[in-house]
Amino acid sequence: MELNDANLQTLTEFLRKTLDPDPTVRRPAEKFLESVEGNQNYPLLLLTLLEKSQDNVIRVCAAVTFKNYIKRNWRIVEDEPNKISDTDRSAIKANIVNLMLSSPEQIQKQLSDAISIIGREDFPQKWPDLLTEMVTRFRSGDFHIINGVLRTAHSLFKRYRHEFKSNELWTEIKLVLDTFALPLTELFKATIELCQTHASDVNALKVLFSSLTLISKLFYSLNFQDLPEFFEDNMETWMTNFHGLLTLDNKLLQTDDEEEAGLLELLKSQICDNAALYAQKYDEEFQPYLPRFVTAIWNLLVSTGQEVKYDLLVSNAIQFLASVCERPHYKHLFEDQNTLTSICEKVIVPNMEFRSADEEAFEDNSEEYIRRDLEGSDIDTRRRAACDLVRGLCKFFEGPVTAIFSGYVNSMLVEYAKNPAENWKHKDAAIYLVTSLASKAQTQKHGITQANELVNLNEFFVNHILTDLTSPNINEFPVLKADAIKYVMIFRSQLPKEQLLQAVPLLINHLQAESIVEHTYTAHALERLFTMRGPNNATLITPAEMAPFTEQLLTNLFKSLALPGSAENEYIMKAIMRSFSLLQEAIVPYVPTLIGQLTHKLLLVSKNPSKPHFNHYLFESLCLSVRITCKTNPTTVSSFEEALFPVFTEILQNDVQEFLPYVFQVMSLLLEIHSNSIPSSYMALFPHLLQPVLWERTGNIPPLVRLLQAYLEKGGATIAGSAADKIPGLLGVFQKLIASKANDHQGFYLLNSIIEHMPPESITQYRKQIFILLFQRLQSSKTTKFIKSFLVFVNLYCVKYGAIALQEIFDSIQPKMFGMVLEKIIIPEVQKVSGAVEKKICAVGITKILTECPAMMDTEYTKLWTPLLQALIGLFELPEDDSIPDDEHFIDIEDTPGYQTAFSQLAFAGKKEHDPIGDAVGNPKILLAQSLHKLSTACPGRVPSMLSTSLNAEALQFLQGYLQAATVQLV
């Protein structure tokens, strides 16, 4: 694409269309941009637009598109096409820092993110001057530029907070510190001085305080992995200034907004984080500064109001106290009973209250409320921090803290009982307090796993939780109902089974509650209860115990999807999936109605897939309906196909990328249920599955391979008969997969199915070419994974077509090739094969080579006979060799960059392991003994003499054991 006005104009039009709410306009525009993004100059056109376009909307849109383009394509992945040319890469790196610093803030943020994505891949090796280019801008004195640099540095360095330690990481951090630490410290001091100079200029202060916040964030990132020498030497400068900023209160920076945190709050929150980091990790060095920080943060907590804008500050300040109170050598600061009482009274209890802001979120922003409360993304909420502080204090002071809070809980419940309608928030706080006191350790899978002995959870359940669950009006006090449901959910491993069974029908009623939070918590609680394990690994709650409520459960779950706000509620869909899985055959009578509702829902969400988890559980539920119903009656598969195929066709025609991997898995499941023939509806689709565009998306490959395997298994002969012209296409797919290190095993799955199920004559003409392709790949890059797959394939070929055919095809490619493969690959590497079926295939194949291939007995290949037998006995008796050469790594499918929908495996579409040899060979060791016996009868005396001269004693002993077990002898 040329850098000219016509192309800029075209690009502008398409970018504008991508903002159109109408999918018929938006989708084609997105598709067009995707199709041209491999062209040279495409990124430079975007950068030109975001710099020069007159239309601000287009500038921002170009910036976002550019960032996403970089996110998808910058990383160079082995086997994948590199979509950004080297000249474009150089041009981007040469211009982007300048462009970012001169752009307005909205665009600056996008470009700053793009720089950090590029930096993640290229810095420091391929972009050595990035930091120096940034640091020189500190001297500019222009804080718009300085903040741009700080923002970019922050997005570049924040990964140091969660990277695993490695030499590479240390080297990079050292390089950054050498270049960056001193200028950052100088900038910090200069900015603080400027704050004093401009103390009465509100606009200047706003800019300076946003700089100080970014500097504080950078301090956190650069100190996270270890305490750098530079910061240890300059601790006095940093900590004295941090302390000064914590205690500073500039009236000009106070905001009237109750929701949005102001600059002062954001800066102080970050400083609390920095102090907590030092108190936790570098307590010895931080010791001299700790007491004054504890005092400053305590005063901050006692004097800060309840408004939402202070939430982050308060929660970080409480987290600081929590991290200090659980360190043994700060214990003395908290020992005094008065200190404990005052922390409980002034910090913990006030921050556990359910505020009107929480009530608003509960009613109007339920998704965010659920995410915070249920999924633990409430890291920065006051309640969560107060809860962590309770846990921290209980580490050393469990008795006194429990005693102090028991008094609070009782008085709150008494207040509630006086006037429930007015005082329900007291009960909410009491439940929250009990929960945080009682829970010592928690996991996603089991809820609370370790509880405080001093809290009687069962008694609290009977006296205070059940009453809310049994009240006839499910819509009264929804917050308390949600609390009660959550209590059952998190203490499920602590409560006795009879109480859980008592709760189940009550929970089923609450699925009808109007409150989104309430019915979502209910669905989640049921789903968690259904996954609990009882004795002997079965589910704790059995299908028989669920029998009286089955109909009500299924009805209410599907009805709750129709409640306002829950049309795509992932918790309800997960509960549907889990109910199907628990109830098994019990759902069969309801499936005809339910499948209609599920397919209708699928049709709706496929128009605009926006909730990946919901969609995943929806497909899982479809798979369960199919599996459970067809297990008892396989002929019902056709009625599922009638229901699902129209929707699947629409998804395929509209190329709904997110859904294709799922559709292919469900189709495989359906096709695998058929007895040995392929219905015509599937055959019509077969040519479309070979289209190259489908195979370009990584996420499609595993499910598509499985689907093609199902086609081959059920109708190899049909394909050979009515679609023989498609065989080259099928082999083309194999050729593409085999060339990729990430997907070569998938290529072998496909090839093995072709060998196993296609009529031999249909692929005769292609066989030699297949082997040549495999040898080319062996020469170009020989990985352990490839060799393992290659060994299984060669032996399967031998089992299927016989040892003579195998020897002949090798030797037809190149004389004596058969011996080379035995000597260089099969004998030394067979020990690496893993998996019972794979080992069995190799054992049977090698047995055939040893005993059914005349060339092994009377040519120069004879010298390989004993080493091959030795290798086979090793495969039977030695531990698997799982060593991988040092210089080799496999690219994981998961590691390919973002955007493409990665493959999401459906658990309930699982494929049974297939054994191509099946019952024909029960025990390969016996087969070896019988085959050797047969061979020795054909040429008496030869086999024993070969064994006695060169097989080692241990192997010989094992072989004698096989012969005895098979009751045969060698002659």
Side-chain angles (χ1 to χ4, degrees):
M1 294 171 87
E2 295 293 314
L3 270 171
N4 57 31
D5 291 346
N7 279 338
L8 287 170
Q9 190 51 44
T10 311
L11 197 52
T12 305
E13 282 162 22
F14 278 104
L15 286 173
R16 189 164 281 118
K17 285 179 184 169
T18 61
L19 302 171
D20 197 300
D22 177 359
T24 57
V25 178
R26 188 179 70 245
R27 282 244 173 90
E30 290 168 346
K31 282 266 187 306
F32 170 79
L33 291 179
E34 203 181 315
S35 71
V36 296
E37 67 175 25
N39 297 354
Q40 192 164 341
N41 289 334
Y42 172 73
L44 307 182
L45 283 163
L46 285 172
L47 289 178
T48 312
L49 275 185
L50 71 83
E51 184 185 9
K52 301 197 170 138
S53 172
Q54 300 304 305
D55 182 339
N56 213 22
V57 174
I58 291 298
R59 291 181 71 183
V60 175
C61 182
V64 174
T65 308
F66 176 78
K67 181 194 72 180
N68 290 333
Y69 162 82
I70 294 292
K71 197 173 175 182
R72 280 200 299 272
N73 301 313
W74 193 271
R75 178 189 271 191
I76 298 172
V77 180
E78 207 172 349
D79 303 331
E80 302 272 326
N82 171 7
K83 281 196 173 172
I84 309 181
S85 70
D86 290 345
T87 46
D88 281 358
R89 285 174 187 270
S90 306
I92 289 169
K93 285 192 286 198
N95 295 309
I96 190 167
V97 175
N98 262 335
L99 197 53
M100 181 269 295
L101 296 176
S102 59
S103 297
E105 195 164 321
Q106 221 180 347
I107 293 172
Q108 197 177 63
K109 282 183 173 156
Q110 299 298 333
L111 290 178
S112 173
D113 284 351
I115 292 174
S116 63
I117 296 164
I118 298 172
R120 171 103 213 224
E121 299 300 321
D122 289 15
F123 174 77
Q125 278 83 12
K126 294 185 196 162
W127 202 358
D129 51 356
L130 170 64
L131 268 198
T132 37
E133 191 183 348
M134 282 167 40
V135 169
T136 50
R137 307 305 172 93
F138 282 166
R139 301 194 200 109
S140 69
D142 175 343
F143 271 84
H144 175 72
I145 290 180
I146 290 172
N147 281 353
V149 172
L150 291 171
R151 199 175 291 119
T152 306
H154 171 54
S155 59
L156 204 55
F157 304 153
K158 68 179 176 206
R159 68 186 180 90
Y160 301 156
R161 302 173 180 195
H162 46 75
E163 290 272 311
F164 287 118
K165 290 180 166 40
S166 69
N167 286 340
E168 216 175 322
L169 183 68
W170 290 116
T171 316
E172 184 180 323
I173 293 178
K174 185 179 179 321
L175 182 113
V176 168
L177 289 165
D178 291 348
T179 320
F180 209 78
L182 178 63
L184 187 72
T185 309
E186 297 300 327
L187 180 69
F188 182 49
K189 291 193 292 197
T191 311
I192 285 182
E193 279 172 27
L194 284 167
C195 288
Q196 284 150 1
T197 319
H198 297 282
S200 54
D201 176 350
V202 67
N203 291 328
L205 284 177
K206 281 182 178 170
V207 177
L208 294 168
F209 268 74
S210 54
S211 305
L212 287 171
T213 306
L214 286 163
I215 292 170
S216 304
K217 288 181 174 186
L218 284 164
F219 176 89
Y220 189 88
S221 301
L222 294 174
N223 283 273
F224 190 88
Q225 289 280 345
D226 203 357
L227 178 56
E229 197 177 329
F230 179 87
F231 284 106
E232 193 176 342
D233 296 344
N234 288 274
M235 199 182 292
E236 179 64 32
T237 302
W238 285 92
M239 290 305 156
T240 309
N241 282 315
F242 278 160
H243 182 263
L245 290 167
L246 265 185
T247 48
L248 173 92
D249 191 14
N250 189 317
K251 296 282 179 277
L252 291 175
L253 286 171
Q254 289 177 352
T255 55
D256 298 332
D257 189 332
E258 292 195 0
E259 300 280 319
E260 200 68 39
L263 288 166
L264 210 51
E265 290 81 45
L266 290 172
L267 175 60
K268 290 183 178 184
S269 309
Q270 186 56 49
I271 293 173
C272 289
D273 252 359
N274 295 354
L277 176 75
Y278 266 55
Q280 267 177 320
K281 287 187 138 185
Y282 317 124
D283 41 15
E284 218 171 287
E285 295 83 353
F286 189 57
Q287 201 105 34
Y289 303 95
L290 183 86
R292 66 178 107 153
F293 272 91
V294 170
T295 312
I297 287 174
W298 172 259
N299 291 335
L300 196 67
L301 279 169
V302 181
S303 61
T304 302
Q306 283 282 0
E307 291 83 356
V308 173
K309 68 173 172 185
Y310 300 122
D311 283 5
L312 181 64
L313 173 57
V314 169
S315 82
N316 282 0
I318 297 176
Q319 289 290 3
F320 167 77
L321 289 182
S323 64
V324 173
C325 74
E326 56 181 21
R327 317 286 297 176
H329 54 267
Y330 301 142
K331 186 174 157 189
H332 62 277
L333 295 171
F334 298 89
E335 263 166 341
D336 180 37
Q337 180 74 21
N338 294 331
T339 309
L340 283 175
T341 307
S342 115
I343 289 178
C344 295
E345 186 181 317
K346 293 187 172 146
V347 175
I348 292 172
V349 172
N351 285 301
M352 284 207 172
E353 283 171 13
F354 195 76
R355 299 166 305 165
S356 51
D358 299 316
E359 199 175 346
E360 275 172 34
F362 184 95
E363 288 166 10
D364 304 329
N365 192 357
S366 50
E367 220 168 289
E368 183 53 33
Y369 183 91
I370 292 163
R371 193 161 38 245
R372 283 209 307 249
D373 190 44
L374 210 52
E375 297 173 14
S377 76
D378 59 347
I379 304 300
D380 52 1
T381 61
R382 295 174 180 239
R383 278 192 146 185
R384 168 70 175 264
C387 186
D388 288 346
L389 182 53
V390 172
R391 267 185 218 166
L393 290 169
C394 283
K395 188 167 175 181
F396 295 120
F397 315 107
E398 188 168 56
V401 169
T402 307
I404 295 169
F405 279 138
S406 300
Y408 276 109
V409 168
N410 291 330
S411 66
M412 287 168 176
L413 290 168
V414 167
E415 283 301 306
Y416 165 74
K418 285 182 195 164
N419 184 349
E422 281 298 309
N423 299 340
W424 60 268
K425 286 184 183 177
H426 288 285
K427 181 169 183 179
D428 168 79
I431 297 175
Y432 204 86
L433 249 179
V434 168
T435 305
S436 54
L437 262 182
S439 45
K440 280 183 169 178
Q442 183 167 9
T443 66
Q444 195 65 38
K445 195 169 175 187
H446 302 290
I448 301 297
T449 50
Q450 217 184 334
N452 178 340
E453 262 60 296
L454 308 171
V455 180
N456 186 333
L457 291 167
N458 296 350
E459 194 181 290
F460 193 81
F461 174 78
V462 173
N463 296 339
H464 303 288
I465 298 294
L466 246 139
T467 47
D468 284 327
L469 290 177
T470 48
S471 88
N473 181 353
I474 56 170
N475 293 315
E476 188 185 30
F477 304 133
V479 175
L480 292 183
K481 297 278 200 304
D483 289 340
I485 295 161
K486 187 180 171 190
Y487 185 94
V488 174
M489 195 262 304
I490 60 175
F491 292 115
R492 60 188 181 276
S493 298
Q494 310 295 321
L495 296 169
K497 181 175 174 178
E498 50 277 15
Q499 289 186 350
L500 297 178
L501 282 172
Q502 193 180 355
V504 167
L506 302 172
L507 288 171
I508 292 173
N509 288 340
H510 284 83
L511 285 169
Q512 288 301 286
E514 286 161 16
S515 152
I516 297 178
V517 176
E518 191 181 333
H519 63 243
T520 301
Y521 279 24
T522 307
H524 185 52
L526 286 166
E527 190 272 330
R528 295 286 79 196
L529 292 179
F530 293 166
T531 54
M532 291 176 73
R533 290 188 187 281
N536 66 41
N537 231 4
T539 52
L540 179 70
I541 296 176
T542 63
E545 287 163 333
M546 285 303 297
F549 325 119
T550 297
E551 185 160 347
Q552 202 53 52
L553 169 70
L554 295 172
T555 308
N556 286 7
L557 277 170
F558 276 89
K559 266 191 187 164
S560 62
L561 282 176
L563 292 166
S566 277
E568 292 180 38
N569 185 321
E570 65 185 71
Y571 291 96
I572 298 175
M573 193 42 86
K574 193 175 187 183
I576 290 174
M577 170 192 89
R578 199 69 69 193
S579 306
F580 284 6
S581 178
L582 173 76
L583 297 167
Q584 292 292 324
E585 289 74 55
I587 69 164
V588 173
Y590 308 101
V591 167
T593 7
L594 299 181
I595 198 75
Q597 296 184 43
L598 288 170
T599 44
H600 179 63
K601 185 58 83 178
L602 177 58
L603 190 60
L604 292 177
V605 295
S606 70
K607 301 274 187 273
N608 187 15
S610 55
K611 297 278 178 71
H613 289 105
F614 177 86
N615 300 335
H616 188 91
Y617 301 134
L618 170 57
F619 277 103
E620 292 281 19
S621 305
L622 287 169
C623 289
L624 278 161
S625 328
V626 171
R627 286 182 81 133
I628 293 167
T629 314
C630 296
K631 192 166 139 192
T632 41
N633 182 1
T635 55
T636 51
V637 68
S638 56
S639 54
F640 283 107
E641 288 163 350
E642 274 166 39
L644 290 166
F645 270 33
V647 192
F648 285 0
T649 311
E650 193 157 323
I651 290 171
L652 290 167
Q653 278 167 349
N654 294 334
D655 190 26
V656 184
Q657 295 190 16
E658 299 90 326
F659 282 7
L660 294 185
Y662 292 127
V663 167
F664 296 143
Q665 287 176 83
V666 181
M667 286 184 62
S668 304
L669 180 68
L670 292 164
L671 185 50
E672 285 157 9
I673 293 168
H674 280 276
S675 52
N676 296 323
S677 66
I678 303 190
S680 56
S681 52
Y682 288 86
M683 276 315 286
L685 189 65
F686 183 65
H688 301 288
L689 301 179
L690 304 175
Q691 286 172 355
V693 58
L694 283 179
W695 295 88
E696 271 161 28
R697 296 183 208 139
T698 333
N700 286 345
I701 291 175
L704 261 180
V705 167
R706 175 181 168 190
L707 182 54
L708 289 181
Q709 284 185 286
Y711 270 90
L712 289 161
E713 187 190 332
K714 298 297 173 189
T718 316
I719 293 170
S722 64
D725 56 329
K726 297 294 172 280
I727 296 175
L730 198 56
L731 292 168
V733 169
F734 150 75
Q735 184 173 354
K736 177 180 166 57
L737 295 174
I738 217 78
S740 144
K741 281 189 194 171
N743 298 315
D744 49 16
H745 60 295
Q746 296 286 349
F748 276 111
Y749 293 160
L750 188 57
L751 180 58
N752 292 346
S753 291
I754 292 173
I755 294 298
E756 189 187 343
H757 300 296
M758 292 289 281
E761 65 283 356
S762 66
I763 53 165
T764 312
Q765 56 181 324
Y766 307 109
R767 281 187 218 171
K768 190 168 173 180
Q769 190 52 38
I770 289 172
F771 278 96
I772 290 172
L773 286 171
L774 295 176
F775 283 126
Q776 283 167 347
R777 167 64 209 271
L778 267 175
Q779 275 174 326
S780 66
S781 74
K782 174 175 155 186
T783 63
T784 307
K785 174 160 76 101
F786 185 86
I787 285 176
K788 284 161 74 166
S789 302
F790 177 75
L791 285 168
V792 174
F793 161 69
V794 166
N795 284 298
L796 180 68
Y797 188 94
C798 179
V799 172
K800 180 80 179 162
Y801 294 127
I804 299 176
L806 182 71
Q807 177 244 317
E808 285 174 350
I809 197 157
F810 277 139
D811 287 345
S812 73
I813 292 171
Q814 189 184 319
K816 302 193 182 150
M817 176 75 111
F818 181 57
M820 288 193 291
V821 172
L822 287 177
E823 192 176 355
K824 298 280 190 307
I825 301 177
I826 297 182
I827 293 170
E829 305 281 9
V830 73
Q831 207 56 50
K832 288 200 163 91
V833 174
S834 51
V837 172
E838 287 81 354
K839 285 183 163 181
K840 182 176 174 183
I841 292 171
C842 288
V844 176
I846 292 174
T847 300
K848 282 181 167 293
I849 295 173
L850 286 166
T851 60
E852 294 176 15
C853 177
M856 287 298 287
M857 296 303 282
D858 47 19
T859 65
E860 70 263 42
Y861 295 155
T862 311
K863 65 177 187 298
L864 299 171
W865 193 89
T866 325
L868 184 61
L869 176 63
Q870 177 103 26
L872 174 56
I873 295 170
L875 178 67
F876 287 145
E877 306 299 345
L878 293 173
E880 185 184 312
D881 167 14
D882 53 7
S883 66
I884 284 181
D886 295 340
D887 59 343
E888 183 185 309
H889 73 279
F890 298 125
I891 326 111
D892 228 5
I893 304 264
E894 279 69 50
D895 287 349
T896 48
Y899 173 73
Q900 289 195 326
T901 33
F903 166 53
S904 305
Q905 178 116 31
L906 290 170
F908 295 112
K911 185 180 180 194
K912 290 193 289 291
E913 183 158 52
H914 168 67
D915 177 358
I917 296 171
D919 300 335
V921 176
N923 179 345
K925 295 177 186 177
I926 303 286
L927 176 76
L928 173 65
Q930 291 167 339
S931 306
L932 286 173
H933 165 71
K934 198 167 155 194
L935 177 69
S936 74
T937 14
C939 40
R942 284 284 302 280
V943 178
S945 79
M946 283 158 81
L947 294 178
S948 59
T949 50
S950 49
L951 194 68
N952 78 23
E954 203 181 353
L956 198 54
Q957 207 173 344
F958 281 124
L959 185 59
Q960 297 298 349
Y962 308 158
L963 291 162
Q964 274 170 348
T967 60
V968 293
Q969 285 173 332
L970 301 178
V971 256

